[in-house]
Amino acid sequence: MQKLGDFKLPHFFNYPPYFTLQPVRETREKQIQLWKELILDYCRTQKIFVIKLEEEFPLFSNSAIERTLSHEAREAFLSDLVAEGRAEWLDKGRRSCLILWHRIQDWADIIVNFVKDNGFEDSVMTVEEIRSGIESRGTSIHTFNHVNELDLDKFPFAKGKLAIFKGTSTDDEGIKFSV
Amino acid sequence: MSNFFSKAEVTSSGRPVFLRNEVERHLLSGVDLEPEDYRFSPLKSGILILTTHRLLWLPSSSATTLTSASSIPLASISHIFSKKSLKSVFHSPRIRFQFLVSSDGRVFDPGSGSGSGSSTGSGSRSVVVTAVVRGKGDCDGFLVKFWDSWRARAWESNETTGSGSGLASGSGAGTGTGGGLYSTDGSVRMVGVAGILRKEQEIWESTDKSLQDAFQDLNALMSKAKEMVMLAEKMRQKLLAGTSSQTSGTNDEEMGSKEEMQDWLLSVGIISPVTKESAGALYHQQLSRQLADFVRTPLERAGGMINLIDAYCLFNRARGTELISPDDMLQACSLWEKFDVPVMLRKFDSRVMVIQNKSHSDEEVFARIKSLATKPEALRNGISPTDAAMTLGIAPAMAKEHLLTAENKGLLCRDISPDGFRFYINLFPEIDPFNIYFVKDYGICITWIKAVSTSGKNALLNELIPTFMDLGSHTIVKTAI
């Protein structure tokens, strides 16, 4: 089986048209669907969170058949992921994309569980503390700060579990968990 | 009462089949042929075509198919009565002439070996016919050319060369054979190389003279050009205004003069503003039929489909003089919808226009493309327009159109790379997005994998084959997290 690192590639990865953005609607929809699955799979197994469009990304090229996805194609696939809620653009120029192979809600649950498991309820922590704390315990959410930057709304505020205190700088941001 | 005019052969597009060396000289529409003999039935409202050899009458397209095309050889005409201007206030212009009828009642045709042998007038009668010209058209011009053609006796040079090549009808030259430079009526005969040269000379001289005249006129015209253009514009506006405000109660005469004006404008070079609604000027109709006939041979050579531009070049080259403009070409092709011709104009999504046979089947082409795209070589490397062109036997530009159409139908996928623009058979429908590692052990996917894995750069896929064979149709399923 062809591999990219230790990631197993499907057979159609060697099919040249897979790397050309198809104009015919039906064909294109199928193509986009396959690429989305592949991107999510790859990122999940390789623990990749961010894809930068202008940089080399191993999944977007196949040297065996000498094909590479064009910028237009990459943007098309990632935009579709964003539309589906499985990714977020990190900048307005669409150069950088955060891949949410866990949905945001799942991330939120992970954080809450972490907090519960480690007894951090009812205490105020800074983002930095949480992040390094989580990291040091070996769980897989080391881009916690990215997530925080974006969509605080999506976090379980509504559940009344978190409250954010904004300081004068990012370092001063604190989160209080009341589980 | 049966029709004893000779039957004229007609092509499938309704154009007359011409004899060797026969050239069309003039055309009038809306003509009734009224013989002054009860044994010949009159022919109503057709197109009268004058050629160097015959007078042809074609039924108009609105007539029933029972009336067939008729012809009167100029050789059988013994007298033309009308000499000068035919216009009259009281009735439509008429041309009156007389032709010979042999003893069996048929029109005397000295070209064929029919009837009672070679000499004229033995036991034959003559019939007088009046051609009533009810349509528009240059009657005076027609008459002049009629006289010219009748006097030129072009069929005689035909016959002498014909008998020279050993035709079976021994009495082929009914009138005036034998040697000598002068025919029986005293005019210089156009035979042999000398004849050809003389003919060329005469043509040259007359062209020269008419050119001189034209230039005189041209100078005068140039000084009046501005007025003429204004006048023409006014006419055009009037036509436009007239048609749009027309009620259903317009009488025939007005319609006739409007059509006349359209034709006149057309001859000056101003396209009629109402050509879409009307059936198209007669010129375009005839051109359309002629084009349909002409395009058959190139179509066959090109495998059933030919680029419109290529057809245009070929057609104009064949015409030699009196070239048509691209607009005329387009007009002629669009008129095909209205006639029953075996060819059609087709516009692709890419806006390329082609002429193709009506019998052309897209399905058949797709079947051939599919079989080409599933060959091992094509599975590995795809197909380019050139490959398709060679297989289908058509031009590469046409082949590309077919490939694009096949792509639109979901049969093929495109692959754009530094190697160029290629097409592969479409595998996407076979792939299950919820099970991307799964491959059926039948169908196009496994065929593709097999074909591809035999080439060096895809050798890694070789490992796939045994896996599929062992596990049958239940291979690895992606586990969802």
Side-chain angles (χ1 to χ4, degrees):
Chain A
M1 196 73 56
Q2 189 155 349
K3 290 197 178 184
L4 211 57
D6 58 351
F7 179 73
K8 195 180 70 184
L9 289 166
H11 62 283
F12 53 83
F13 197 71
N14 278 347
Y15 178 54
Y18 189 55
F19 285 82
T20 302
L21 191 58
Q22 296 296 319
V24 177
R25 193 167 58 100
E26 231 177 282
T27 316
R28 183 202 284 241
E29 280 170 6
K30 193 61 172 290
Q31 183 189 28
I32 290 182
Q33 212 180 1
L34 294 174
W35 268 109
K36 286 198 300 196
E37 287 301 316
L38 199 61
I39 292 172
L40 286 175
D41 264 359
Y42 184 72
C43 290
R44 182 184 302 121
T45 55
Q46 309 295 311
K47 306 274 192 276
I48 294 173
F49 292 90
V50 177
I51 296 181
K52 290 203 165 61
L53 260 74
E54 268 135 37
E55 284 176 10
E56 285 270 326
F57 190 62
L59 196 66
F60 290 158
S61 311
N62 183 342
S63 52
I65 57 170
E66 292 165 350
R67 296 282 186 274
T68 308
L69 277 184
S70 66
H71 185 96
E72 191 199 348
R74 298 179 195 204
E75 208 185 310
F77 302 142
L78 292 175
S79 300
D80 216 86
L81 268 179
V82 172
E84 211 187 319
R86 305 304 307 265
E88 297 274 351
W89 289 112
L90 288 174
D91 64 328
K92 281 238 172 357
R94 297 194 171 191
R95 285 193 301 269
S96 211
C97 189
L98 176 74
I99 308 298
L100 301 164
W101 36 268
H102 278 307
R103 293 181 185 281
I104 295 237
Q105 187 53 55
D106 298 336
W107 282 118
D109 288 344
I110 290 176
I111 294 169
V112 168
N113 285 334
F114 166 79
V115 161
K116 265 203 236 172
D117 291 346
N118 293 281
F120 287 130
E121 307 98 358
D122 288 337
S123 55
V124 182
M125 298 173 72
T126 63
V127 175
E128 200 44 48
E129 277 175 350
I130 299 176
R131 190 161 69 81
S132 56
I134 291 174
E135 267 188 325
S136 69
R137 272 145 179 90
T139 36
S140 64
I141 46 174
H142 63 76
T143 52
F144 177 62
N145 58 329
H146 283 295
V147 180
N148 216 17
E149 264 164 42
L150 294 172
D151 288 340
L152 307 177
D153 302 321
K154 290 191 186 156
F155 271 120
F157 294 151
K159 293 201 222 161
K161 295 197 175 136
L162 300 181
I164 293 229
F165 302 100
K166 272 208 160 41
T168 46
S169 71
T170 346
D171 285 350
D172 286 355
E173 273 187 357
I175 303 186
K176 177 171 191 266
F177 299 90
S178 12
V179 178
Chain B
M1 246 201 310
S2 44
N3 187 349
F4 282 97
F5 289 123
S6 315
K7 195 164 182 315
E9 265 186 78
V10 155
T11 70
S12 57
S13 314
R15 286 278 303 166
V17 172
F18 291 117
L19 306 169
R20 195 159 63 105
N21 298 331
E22 187 181 13
V23 173
E24 183 179 327
R25 301 213 62 203
H26 208 97
L27 190 153
L28 288 175
S29 67
V31 175
D32 297 344
L33 285 184
E34 290 170 6
E36 291 173 16
D37 183 329
Y38 68 89
R39 276 174 286 236
F40 282 79
S41 47
L43 300 171
K44 292 270 176 211
S45 197
I47 296 175
L48 190 67
I49 299 181
L50 169 73
T51 73
T52 45
H53 291 55
R54 302 179 284 175
L55 263 183
L56 298 164
W57 184 88
L58 306 178
S60 68
S61 37
S62 55
T64 58
T65 47
L66 291 178
T67 14
S68 53
S70 311
S71 78
I72 302 172
L74 292 183
S76 65
I77 293 181
S78 54
H79 200 70
I80 303 179
F81 294 105
S82 321
K83 279 198 167 61
K84 22 192 227 274
S85 171
L86 312 159
K87 294 262 190 307
S88 161
V89 174
F90 300 104
H91 52 69
S92 317
R94 280 139 210 266
I95 300 176
R96 214 158 152 259
F97 58 93
Q98 177 182 21
F99 63 89
L100 295 171
V101 170
S102 57
S103 47
D104 65 353
R106 305 198 74 90
V107 172
F108 184 74
D109 186 357
S112 66
S114 71
S116 46
S118 54
S119 58
T120 55
S122 58
S124 57
R125 310 170 283 110
S126 55
V127 175
V128 179
V129 169
T130 306
V132 184
V133 184
R134 297 192 196 283
K136 62 238 184 279
D138 178 13
C139 235
D140 285 339
F142 185 93
L143 186 62
V144 168
K145 291 213 174 112
F146 190 17
W147 274 100
D148 282 345
S149 304
W150 184 58
R151 277 204 282 248
R153 306 187 82 86
W155 56 91
E156 278 173 14
S157 48
N158 216 21
E159 286 159 14
T160 44
T161 49
S163 55
S165 60
L167 282 178
S169 55
S171 66
T175 46
T177 25
L181 224 39
Y182 294 93
S183 54
T184 44
D185 65 354
S187 61
V188 178
R189 281 213 309 170
M190 303 292 186
V191 292
V193 177
I196 295 172
L197 286 177
R198 207 171 295 119
K199 211 183 207 164
E200 288 292 310
Q201 180 71 7
E202 278 183 23
I203 291 173
W204 203 94
E205 279 170 8
S206 80
T207 311
D208 196 40
K209 184 168 183 304
S210 65
L211 269 179
Q212 282 187 0
D213 289 343
F215 273 121
Q216 301 279 55
D217 294 340
L218 195 64
N219 287 329
L221 184 68
M222 295 260 279
S223 61
K224 297 232 172 214
K226 201 154 157 221
E227 291 176 33
M228 295 296 287
V229 168
M230 270 174 27
L231 183 66
E233 261 308 300
K234 250 192 263 172
M235 292 250 173
R236 198 174 82 93
Q237 294 302 332
K238 195 141 168 271
L239 248 187
L240 252 178
T243 332
S244 56
S245 64
Q246 216 165 295
T247 56
S248 53
T250 321
N251 58 26
D252 282 337
E253 212 174 280
E254 237 179 76
M255 279 301 293
S257 65
K258 275 209 180 15
E259 283 175 13
E260 208 176 320
M261 210 151 63
Q262 271 183 45
D263 267 353
W264 187 71
L265 282 181
L266 192 68
S267 69
V268 176
I270 299 171
I271 315 264
S272 160
V274 294
T275 29
K276 277 257 163 65
E277 287 103 59
S278 65
L282 194 62
Y283 165 69
H284 280 132
Q285 283 189 30
Q286 291 297 314
L287 184 69
S288 174
R289 292 187 197 270
Q290 191 182 48
L291 181 64
D293 277 335
F294 168 79
V295 93
R296 296 263 286 281
T297 323
L299 254 187
E300 231 163 290
R301 264 208 309 267
M305 188 178 284
I306 187 171
N307 201 325
L308 185 65
I309 301 174
D310 294 340
Y312 172 69
C313 292
L314 288 171
F315 190 48
N316 263 342
R317 198 184 297 164
R319 282 173 77 92
T321 56
E322 290 190 31
L323 308 181
I324 63 168
S325 72
D327 272 336
D328 287 334
M329 180 85 179
L330 255 183
Q331 273 280 53
C333 292
S334 7
L335 281 180
W336 284 338
E337 296 173 350
K338 302 209 168 81
F339 307 142
D340 186 21
V341 289
V343 288
M344 56 182 271
L345 183 69
R346 174 178 175 174
K347 200 171 179 181
F348 281 102
D349 291 333
S350 57
R351 297 216 296 245
V352 166
M353 289 200 274
V354 298
I355 297 177
Q356 70 179 44
N357 279 318
K358 266 195 188 146
S359 59
H360 177 270
S361 151
D362 272 352
E363 298 310 320
E364 200 238 326
V365 175
F366 291 152
R368 286 162 78 186
I369 289 178
K370 186 169 179 183
S371 83
L372 174 66
T374 45
K375 290 192 168 30
E377 178 59 35
L379 286 175
R380 279 198 288 273
N381 297 316
I383 51 182
S384 70
T386 327
D387 298 332
M390 288 197 296
T391 310
L392 297 174
I394 59 181
M398 298 294 100
K400 189 165 184 188
E401 290 305 319
H402 282 306
L403 291 176
L404 289 172
T405 316
E407 182 194 31
N408 266 325
K409 289 234 170 338
L411 190 67
L412 300 174
C413 280
R414 63 172 61 182
D415 164 47
I416 300 177
S417 73
D419 294 337
F421 199 126
R422 301 182 81 84
F423 290 89
Y424 286 76
I425 193 84
N426 188 2
L427 295 180
F428 286 111
E430 298 286 311
I431 307 172
D432 179 359
F434 300 110
N435 207 348
I436 60 177
Y437 296 97
F438 171 63
V439 178
K440 292 196 281 246
D441 60 357
Y442 57 91
I444 188 68
C445 262
I446 192 78
T447 317
W448 174 73
I449 289 174
K450 280 190 197 155
V452 152
S453 62
T454 54
S455 87
K457 61 184 183 185
N458 283 303
L460 289 172
L461 273 181
N462 275 329
E463 299 163 29
L464 267 178
I465 308 295
T467 320
F468 291 127
M469 293 316 177
D470 289 341
L471 301 179
S473 54
H474 298 290
T475 42
I476 306 152
V477 172
K478 169 174 81 97
T479 50
I481 296 182

